[in-house]
Amino acid sequence: MSTTPDLSVEFAGIPLRNPVLTASGTFGYGVELEPFLDLRRLGGFVAKSLTLEPRHGNPPPRIAETPAGMLNAISLENVGVEAFIEEKLPAVPDGVPVIASVFGTEIELYAEVCKRLTGVPKVAGLEINASCPHVKAGGIEFGQSPDALGRLVRACRQATTLPLVVKLSPNVTSIAEMARVCEGEGASGIAAINTVQALEVDVETRRPMLSNGLGGLSGPAIRPVALRMVWQCAQAVSIPICGVGGISTGEDAVAFLLCGATAIQVGTASYLNPAAAGEVADGIAAYCERHGVASVRELIGALEHS
Amino acid sequence: MSDAVTPAAPQRCVLRVRSNEPERGCIRLVLEAPDSWPAAAPGQFVMIHLSGTGVARHDPLLPRPMAAFRLTGEGSTEPDGTRCLEVLYKVVGRGTALLAECQPGDSLALVGPLGVPFPMPQPGEEAVLVGGGTGIASLFELARTLRDAGAPLRVLLGARSQDDLMALADFEALGVPLELATDDGSAGHHGLVTAPLEPWLGAGSPLRIYACGPTPMMVAVAELAEKAGHPCHLSLENRMACGFGICLGCAVRSRGDALHLVCRDGPVFDAKELDLGALP
Ligand SMILES: Cc1cc2nc3c(=O)[nH]c(=O)nc-3n(C[C@H](O)[C@H](O)[C@H](O)COP(=O)(O)OP(=O)(O)OC[C@H]3O[C@@H](n4cnc5c(N)ncnc54)[C@H](O)[C@@H]3O)c2cc1C
Ligand SMILES: Cc1cc2nc3c(=O)[nH]c(=O)nc-3n(C[C@H](O)[C@H](O)[C@H](O)COP(=O)(O)O)c2cc1C
Ligand code: FES
């Protein structure tokens, strides 16, 4: 006898129909994937990171394939917060929680965008993308300095009443320390991880594969790294964690839940299969049925180890 | 003939390989297309991923963009009438080398049809189609559509040598005016496609130029067309990750310094919109 498992979770104060969100920058502004996927099959989605003003990214080539992964250097390209609110959000179907992702080159710019998004219908929460180079600090990512990260989270926390998720950069020595800083400054949750800084070279031309030189690695290649970091964050803080990195199946997602994640995000997998996030949700349900798990919440942090 | 065909909504579908045989200049991949699989408009493409069997395949990770060469079976050219999508490709790297290993009965995951199709010529204009390398595949449906509509057209195909001229038999079977150019002179004009093109452009009658092929060829064609005052459409073959506008990986620069996505705003562009010097 099997009953339909309960997939609902609450992440950072946001009730989700299931733990599956989509990762920022891999799902456009939501509606691009509508021909392939009913958004109501997902817990919600995280939109492309927004800056105060619209921005162009890097010149091509911006992407390169690597073993079981890809590198990207799109940089800051986005429509800007106003166009997102005026043009993109209205097209999102009702009942789908939208988490808006925020970034900027200065703390004040992040805070401005947070303010602008607060109170906007359909926006259920904010995700702070801390992987942006901090111009005043010579280009080091906010998420790479505990001090800069702390000041960033404090300013954003003061700028909004919405649930505030901080998305951590994996390009650090101790992700646990960064998670603790966020918890200390009042963040409602953690998302981990953003792309892993990497380099690929074309030996024929002796040049980097990307115009930008360095890029961010994503896809199945980074999944064990992301899993390790989620597990370390879960050991360090009591705010909920959203696992991101290389997830393309229900089993991948379950691994993150077992390591302590409350929700997960599907990223690069949507490029190869625009229905991937829906299939991950179905895969989690199938896992629960197979293992007699009545509620997906039983899986959170249930990793057995000695 | 002035309206562009309205493209069908794209789908994701697993298609069975009927055959995957080498022929002159390319490999012809024939995929069985269910009735629900939408027909592509001329110039549209599909993303092909090497995992249709349900077994996750992470390497190569990304799908590859390929022109929807043609759909057979609807107008029924296939003997048993099965609806088939044909794709013609050259092996240039790992992805296409692995695609070449596919056997009849294997499955491939496809997303498509994608992209903005070629605009049709205005009444009174003659269409001139210039194809080179793998770009030849992107022009066949346009040639067929124009021929079926009785619209005037000429086709000019270029390749390194006679043995590299893909789809030659298909274009010959259309019975449209056809010129060839090869780098080594083994077929048609000896040299670049621009040599036979130039005198046509100056002949005085209104033309609309369509080009797809290596970047230097397209740039040369676009420059000649602009000098002669003829509208010119280029179909770009950039690297892509998603093919439907969400990764922002396929951007090209426009003359106004804006960025266009090749997969969503193209792959067909008015040559005047593009910064030709910045094409990859
Ligand atoms: C809209 C569109 C339609 C296309 N239609 C066809 C088609 O009908 N038939 C066909 O054979 N090919 C077509 N292509 C090109 C095809 O997508 C590439 O040849 C293929 O992705 C190469 O994959 P690979 O893994 O074999 O090569 P890789 O290992 O990725 O690369 C091998 C070499 O090819 C070069 N290369 C890779 N991708 C491209 C590219 N997109 N354009 C130019 N050079 C590239 C690389 O720089 C490298 O030198 C099309 C591309 C686009 C965007
Ligand atoms: C092309 C591309 C663009 C991305 N853009 C953003 C972005 O704007 N903001 C952000 O926080 N993360 C961005 N990411 C990172 C993803 O959200 C995700 O953290 C990362 O890709 C790891 O997950 P994955 O392996 O499932 O893709 C981007 C990733 C890719 C591949
Ligand atoms: S290929 Fe992803 S946006 Fe064009």
Side-chain angles (χ1 to χ4, degrees), chain A:
Chain A
M1 195 206 79
S2 78
T3 49
T4 316
D6 175 8
L7 293 190
S8 66
V9 295
E10 187 179 295
F11 172 66
I14 309 166
L16 304 176
R17 153 185 316 118
N18 63 50
V20 181
L21 303 167
T22 56
S24 178
T26 63
F27 208 69
Y29 301 99
V31 290
E32 291 87 340
L33 279 92
E34 281 215 300
F36 310 101
L37 175 66
D38 182 354
L39 297 181
R40 284 168 286 232
R41 281 171 68 196
L42 308 180
F45 77 91
V46 186
K48 175 83 186 151
S49 294
L50 299 166
T51 48
L52 202 52
E53 304 294 336
R55 310 249 336 206
H56 286 325
N58 288 321
R62 298 167 151 197
I63 49 171
E65 196 177 46
T66 59
M70 65 176 280
L71 281 189
N72 88 80
I74 310 294
S75 193
L76 301 168
E77 183 151 333
N78 75 97
V79 297
V81 68
E82 285 308 323
F84 174 73
I85 293 170
E86 301 300 326
E87 296 159 25
K88 306 290 178 182
L89 265 181
V92 175
D94 287 326
V96 181
V98 178
I99 297 180
S101 172
V102 174
F103 72 161
T105 49
E106 308 291 346
I107 288 176
E108 301 72 36
L109 296 174
Y110 273 96
E112 274 303 308
V113 180
C114 290
K115 265 195 201 125
R116 184 64 189 88
L117 286 162
T118 305
V120 172
K122 292 184 191 168
V123 177
L126 302 181
E127 186 180 88
I128 301 303
N129 174 1
S131 291
C132 189
H134 187 191
V135 172
K136 274 187 192 150
I140 182 178
E141 292 175 20
F142 285 97
Q144 286 178 314
S145 145
D147 176 56
L149 183 65
R151 283 185 288 121
L152 174 64
V153 177
R154 194 177 317 150
C156 293
R157 185 63 289 175
Q158 282 165 6
T160 185
T161 49
L162 285 168
L164 188 72
V165 179
V166 184
K167 184 169 179 189
L168 297 178
S169 164
N171 307 311
V172 296
T173 311
S174 169
I175 193 106
E177 181 188 1
M178 300 301 172
R180 272 188 224 105
V181 166
C182 296
E183 184 173 44
E185 296 295 347
S188 330
I190 299 286
I193 57 176
N194 213 310
T195 54
V196 177
Q197 200 174 43
L199 174 64
E200 186 62 287
V201 167
D202 180 342
V203 294
E204 301 303 323
T205 61
R206 301 190 182 188
R207 298 178 68 85
M209 294 285 264
L210 301 180
S211 67
N212 187 54
L214 302 183
L217 182 64
S218 66
I222 68 166
R223 189 165 54 80
V225 177
L227 208 49
R228 182 266 288 182
M229 291 191 158
V230 164
W231 185 74
Q232 288 176 325
C233 289
Q235 303 298 303
V237 297
S238 53
I239 51 175
I241 295 159
C242 190
V244 200
I247 297 173
S248 52
T249 66
E251 285 79 6
D252 294 346
V254 168
F256 279 85
L257 299 178
L258 293 173
C259 287
T262 298
I264 59 94
Q265 296 176 11
V266 176
T268 301
S270 293
Y271 299 156
L272 22 155
N273 174 3
E279 292 176 13
V280 169
D282 295 346
I284 297 174
Y287 175 92
C288 290
E289 282 176 30
R290 213 160 60 235
H291 291 269
V293 174
S295 161
V296 75
R297 296 186 294 279
E298 292 168 31
L299 298 172
I300 300 168
L303 186 71
E304 300 196 12
H305 61 110
S306 41

Side-chain angles (χ1 to χ4, degrees), chain B residues 4-183:
Chain B
V5 186
T6 311
Q11 282 189 17
R12 178 174 191 270
C13 205
V14 174
L15 270 55
R16 199 174 154 275
V17 176
R18 165 170 285 228
S19 61
N20 190 29
E21 292 292 322
E23 59 177 50
R24 183 208 290 222
C26 66
I27 298 176
R28 183 175 302 247
L29 174 65
V30 182
L31 297 162
E32 290 170 10
D35 287 342
S36 58
W37 178 259
Q44 285 196 294
F45 65 98
V46 296
M47 297 295 286
I48 302 185
H49 195 258
L50 287 161
S51 81
T53 54
V55 179
R57 177 152 189 183
H58 295 321
D59 196 26
L61 182 68
L62 300 172
R64 298 294 190 265
M66 294 284 164
F69 179 69
R70 70 169 168 190
L71 194 63
T72 60
E74 280 194 317
S76 215
T77 42
E78 203 69 10
D80 66 358
T82 308
R83 206 164 174 263
C84 286
L85 169 67
E86 291 186 0
V87 169
L88 305 191
Y89 65 96
K90 278 189 202 279
V91 173
V92 299
R94 246 185 118 238
T96 45
L98 287 165
L99 188 59
E101 289 177 6
C102 281
Q103 299 294 321
D106 288 353
S107 296
L108 293 169
L110 266 75
V111 173
L114 296 163
V116 176
F118 286 113
M120 291 298 145
Q122 299 293 314
E125 285 176 351
E126 183 183 14
V128 176
L129 281 55
V130 187
T134 56
I136 292 173
S138 293
L139 294 173
F140 181 77
E141 269 298 290
L142 178 62
R144 190 191 58 80
T145 306
L146 292 170
R147 188 215 48 184
D148 290 354
L153 80 150
R154 308 185 208 195
V155 178
L156 180 50
L157 304 180
R160 251 170 315 169
S161 81
Q162 187 179 14
D163 296 336
D164 291 314
L165 276 166
M166 61 156 67
L168 185 55
D170 301 277
F171 278 96
E172 282 171 349
L174 283 181
V176 298
L178 185 63
E179 297 266 353
L180 304 174
T182 48
D183 295 350

Side-chain angles (χ1 to χ4, degrees), chain A residues 63, chain B residues 239-251 261-264:
Chain A
I63 49 171
Chain B
R239 268 164 194 286
M240 292 183 178
C242 69
F244 43 83
I246 56 165
C247 74
L248 309 183
C250 63
L261 296 182
V262 174
C263 69
R264 186 196 63 197

